[in-house]
Amino acid sequence: MTKDDLYARYQAAHTAHRAHRESCTSCTDTSRCPVGQRLYRSFAALQDAYLNRQRQQR
């Protein structure tokens, strides 16, 4: 996986999470529905991986 692939996946996960959050009436700032939680976990994991890779390249 290249750096650009990871970045694209991280951004796509953010977009999916944000879109869900905007349309879901169950999700709030402090709790998430099961789908929202899955999307958030995916986004957070990809964000962590991307940021860790950025730190390693410095």
Side-chain angles (χ1 to χ4, degrees):
M1 172 175 12
T2 68
K3 178 178 147 184
D4 293 338
D5 292 338
L6 182 56
Y7 181 77
R9 290 176 55 214
Y10 154 48
Q11 291 302 303
H14 178 256
T15 299
H17 173 259
R18 187 178 65 233
H20 174 80
R21 175 66 179 90
E22 290 171 358
S23 65
C24 182
T25 57
S26 298
C27 288
T28 67
D29 289 340
T30 57
S31 68
R32 296 175 186 88
C33 74
V35 172
Q37 184 62 32
R38 181 183 56 79
L39 290 169
Y40 178 79
R41 271 188 266 146
S42 175
F43 160 64
L46 286 165
Q47 181 182 45
D48 288 346
Y50 177 76
L51 293 175
N52 285 334
R53 185 176 284 178
Q54 291 293 97
R55 286 184 201 104
Q56 291 173 356
Q57 292 177 350
R58 289 186 193 163

